Amino acid sequence: MTFKKASLCRHFENEVYKRVQEKKINFPVYLSAGQEYVPSSIAQLVHNKKIKPMLFGQHRGHSIYLSFGGDVTQLIDELLGMKSGCTRGMGGSLSISSKKINMFGHEGLMGSNACMGVGACFSSSKPTIVFLGDASVEEDYVLASLSWAAKKELPILFVVEDNNYAVLTKKEDRRDWKAKDVAKAFKLDSYDTQDNPENIFKILKKNIFKKPIFINVHTKRLYWHAGAGEDEKVFGDRLGKEMKYLGKRAVEIDNKIKNRIKKLWQQRLEKL
Ligand SMILES: Cc1ncc(C[n+]2csc(CCOP(=O)(O)OP(=O)(O)O)c2C)c(N)n1
């Protein structure tokens, strides 16, 4: 199931990539191809536990939306600026929201979703997930949010999708500390891992939403920070590894999903 979610996210993003190149989409898009196993694994775990958390993502949110069961057609429509989009065609790529899956749209200030997620969780005591990037976790207000979540023992999960980049600047050129160590200093249960679903399940299975947890997951961004282009060839992305591991059946499933998404995009483009 995690594989199916990840495959859906990948093919969705590949279709967006094509539409940007064809100039069917003319505003900034933030593609999450390569990183999809992070939200897919967490969504699967949460789904298995029958929990429907509040979701606070950042600008790179397509895979979060899709992994947690957001309607595919509505996301296509959103990116095409149609009223039938999940954010009524007004949010675009960076501000994906959906009442159906409790996903709150991002307003653009990196890391502000941590403050909002912590506030929402504090006031409602509902299970909450905040997705951050490895750069947004450097913002001072994110650190204040981690501290409050720890102090109030909130049912919250902070997930850092650590793709190593802040636009084009690598982590090694920005800081000499690990996010996990900082979170630990605030007395959060804190982890550092690869984007392997088994690792993620193992870490979160027992205590998710029982106490505040911070997980930094190393992953890979396949496309530019914004728009459609390739920075450098990235090898060994997680979806490729999983396909190799799962074998022939996975390739069949992947092809089916690819064709379904392709067709859906074509159908929605005809509505323009
Ligand atoms: C406070 C603030 N500073 C700068 C920016 C411009 N900006 C947008 S995204 C981004 C990089 C974000 O990197 P990260 O949080 O690691 O997420 P990623 O893009 O890698 O998913 C920057 C600098 C912003 N939106 N907000």
Side-chain angles (χ1 to χ4, degrees), residues 8 11-16 18-19 22 72 76 254-270:
L8 165 70
H11 293 302
F12 186 91
E13 296 296 56
N14 287 346
E15 285 296 318
V16 180
K18 281 189 225 158
R19 304 312 161 205
E22 293 165 5
V72 185
I76 297 176
D254 189 61
N255 270 330
K256 239 184 189 171
I257 293 172
K258 182 179 174 179
N259 292 332
R260 179 166 73 84
I261 296 301
K262 201 172 163 183
K263 219 166 160 186
L264 204 52
W265 266 96
Q266 274 160 1
Q267 283 168 1
R268 299 317 291 170
L269 281 162
E270 280 163 20

Side-chain angles (χ1 to χ4, degrees), residues 30-31 35 58-60 94 106 108-111 132-137 139 141 160-167 174 221 225:
Y30 300 90
L31 300 179
Q35 307 187 184
Q58 293 203 128
H59 52 287
R60 209 174 298 289
L94 113 131
H106 186 52
L109 194 73
M110 52 194 271
L132 298 159
D134 52 277
S136 58
V137 81
E139 298 293 353
Y141 40 85
V160 178
E161 292 189 37
D162 183 348
N163 62 21
N164 197 29
Y165 285 102
V167 186
R174 306 194 318 260
R221 185 184 83 192
H225 165 71

